[in-house]
Amino acid sequence: VIKIGAVGDVVLVGPSLRAIRERFPKAHIAVLVGSESRQILQNCPYINELIIYNKNFIKENSRNFFNLAGKIRKLNFDIVVDFQNSLRSHLLSFVSAAPKRFGYKNKKFSFLLNYAIDGAKIDLPPVQHQFRVLSLLQIPLKDDKLELWPDDADRGFVEGFLAGQWIVAGQPLVGVNIGGSLHWASKRLPKETMSALCDELA
């Protein structure tokens, strides 16, 4: 599975990984994930292996991209599911030499996939979009519940952080993320709207 996007995008791939594991219970499932997002899947019970894609390392020297491609090829995958839908992810799908490569048709070298579905720009929630690709593998969307898999160290960190902020057990908490990617205007509320929202929450 290829998902080398940002943290939020990797969180959204959880239902797909769960469904792939259900469809292939004995398979060795590896995920190619960005270095900044790898911790999201560190404890995921549906996968066997993480392969790290470090975009800064690859930008330094194109040879590093081909080294990664060689590593992927040696793993002899039977199936690649490309959820990233980018030029590089399609290229990595192809060089894996997997006989079945699934993803979206687009203008980003998608001809390198041999099972591709139209409509990458259809207006659907992200998880439903992923299952359009998985439908090519006869994997239906049964459960779109999102998951995280924190371990004891994660929980200890959060408890210590909250205690340090004078938060008491049972106190209601509201988290507000006031920023977002410059590439996605839909994720960036105008400051007046954000301010009004915070006033309403208060």
Side-chain angles (χ1 to χ4, degrees):
V1 176
I2 300 177
K3 191 60 179 174
I4 53 179
V7 169
D9 294 332
V10 174
V11 171
L12 290 169
V13 85
S16 294
L17 296 176
R18 186 170 59 239
I20 292 170
R21 172 56 70 196
E22 184 176 330
R23 173 71 173 80
F24 302 107
K26 296 182 179 180
H28 181 92
I29 299 175
V31 179
L32 180 67
V33 64
S35 55
E36 72 280 6
S37 306
R38 68 188 186 282
Q39 290 178 318
I40 296 297
L41 298 177
Q42 201 71 49
N43 301 314
C44 176
Y46 310 122
I47 64 178
N48 303 97
E49 180 180 5
L50 290 177
I51 304 170
I52 307 304
Y53 179 94
N54 187 326
K55 62 182 178 183
N56 293 324
F57 182 63
I58 286 172
K59 283 180 181 178
E60 289 174 8
N61 189 333
S62 60
R63 185 182 300 171
N64 295 329
F65 179 84
F66 293 104
N67 288 340
L68 174 63
K71 174 183 176 182
I72 291 171
R73 189 181 185 96
K74 289 178 181 177
L75 292 171
N76 295 315
F77 289 112
D78 299 295
I79 295 172
V80 170
V81 180
D82 181 358
F83 287 131
Q84 191 59 38
N85 195 34
S86 70
L87 187 153
R88 287 196 173 187
S89 65
H90 292 336
L91 186 57
L92 287 168
S93 296
F94 179 73
V95 300
S96 74
K100 296 182 179 180
R101 304 180 300 279
F102 297 85
Y104 277 113
K105 290 181 183 176
N106 57 21
K107 296 179 181 179
K108 303 172 183 176
F109 283 24
S110 60
F111 64 87
L112 297 175
L113 305 171
N114 51 9
Y115 296 90
I117 194 165
D118 283 315
K121 294 185 180 293
I122 290 177
D123 188 16
L124 283 174
V127 173
Q128 292 183 28
H129 249 306
Q130 294 167 23
F131 274 85
R132 294 190 70 242
V133 174
L134 293 182
S135 69
L136 298 172
L137 284 141
Q138 288 77 52
I139 299 178
L141 173 55
K142 296 179 181 177
D143 180 7
D144 61 0
K145 179 184 70 177
L146 299 180
E147 295 180 85
L148 292 174
W149 306 276
D151 58 21
D152 291 341
D154 297 323
R155 292 188 177 89
F157 172 81
V158 171
E159 290 170 3
F161 174 79
L162 295 178
Q165 305 301 314
W166 299 76
I167 304 298
V168 298
Q171 180 177 346
L173 294 174
V174 178
V176 179
N177 180 5
I178 63 171
S181 170
L182 293 174
H183 301 294
W184 294 93
S186 61
K187 297 182 181 181
R188 300 177 62 86
L189 286 178
K191 60 184 178 181
E192 297 81 10
T193 306
M194 180 62 79
S195 177
L197 173 61
C198 291
D199 286 342
E200 289 294 320
L201 289 169

